[in-house]
Amino acid sequence: METLTAESYMEGLYADDQVLERVKEVIRTNNMPEISIAPGYGRLLTMLVTMIGAKKVLEIGALGGYSGICLARGLQEGGKLISLELKQEFADVAKQNVADAGLGQFVEYRIGEALTHLNELLAQGERFDFFFIDADKVNYPNYLELAIQLANPGAIIAGDNTLMRGKVVDAGQTKASVKAMRSFNKLIAEDPRLESTILPAYDGLALARVK
């Protein structure tokens, strides 16, 4: 008999989300990386966006639209999600999946380097209530700093994959991406502009509130 992990036990309490299951199948069919946020954390994103009444949400890393759907589900009428994605082909898949989920009216995609878009948004005076970071790990510390600068007071910043499948706790791992994630985690924990915690389930999720 297969031994249940804590995560698989918890997921077994919930019925499959057919919309999100379809997104995962589309990602697989298009030979995209199967690295969407864990279902439990997807539900958490929806809850948090709903709980704080977020009107403007910024996502860094669209992939196939799984997390975008979770974020957009929490938005009220008139809310908006701006999703930054490096690759046009990924954004096209995400946009179609979000539209198929009936949430296309909430989401705008911007293609190219995220740091460029973030600095443009900052220069334009844009401000956001919620941020989800799930993109290239080397730039996580840079994304965090720009998110803080783009944040309305009380905004929430969430960052996925903070454990990097155990690499961050393995002293022998010295790749730039691992070092950057360690730096991100330390910044989340110590930056005086933030209140925060890091959840160790799945592959780790950092949550911070901008003071």
Side-chain angles (χ1 to χ4, degrees), residues 72-186:
R73 281 175 169 175
L75 290 168
Q76 298 179 358
E77 198 62 43
K80 186 173 185 178
L81 165 65
I82 294 179
S83 182
L84 310 181
E85 174 53 53
L86 179 63
K87 298 183 178 183
Q88 181 71 58
E89 61 269 29
F90 287 6
D92 290 342
V93 172
K95 184 175 183 179
Q96 187 61 56
N97 281 333
V98 170
D100 289 345
L103 297 164
Q105 72 273 23
F106 291 107
V107 188
E108 172 190 336
Y109 290 93
R110 300 192 182 187
I111 315 304
E113 293 287 347
L115 289 176
T116 301
H117 286 299
L118 291 168
N119 280 297
E120 287 175 352
L121 290 166
L122 192 60
Q124 293 163 7
E126 294 281 1
R127 294 296 181 269
F128 296 86
D129 306 308
F130 195 99
F131 302 81
F132 179 53
I133 303 171
D134 190 11
D136 64 298
K137 309 313 175 191
V138 171
N139 275 309
Y140 261 47
N142 298 323
Y143 295 151
L144 177 62
E145 178 57 37
L146 285 163
I148 293 171
Q149 294 182 41
L150 283 161
N152 283 319
I156 300 295
I157 301 171
D160 197 21
N161 305 120
T162 54
L163 294 175
M164 292 186 71
R165 300 186 180 183
K167 292 178 182 178
V168 295
V169 298
D170 180 353
Q173 295 285 341
T174 58
K175 289 178 62 176
S177 57
V178 178
K179 290 181 176 179
M181 187 60 78
R182 291 183 184 130
S183 176
F184 172 85
N185 291 339
K186 188 175 177 64

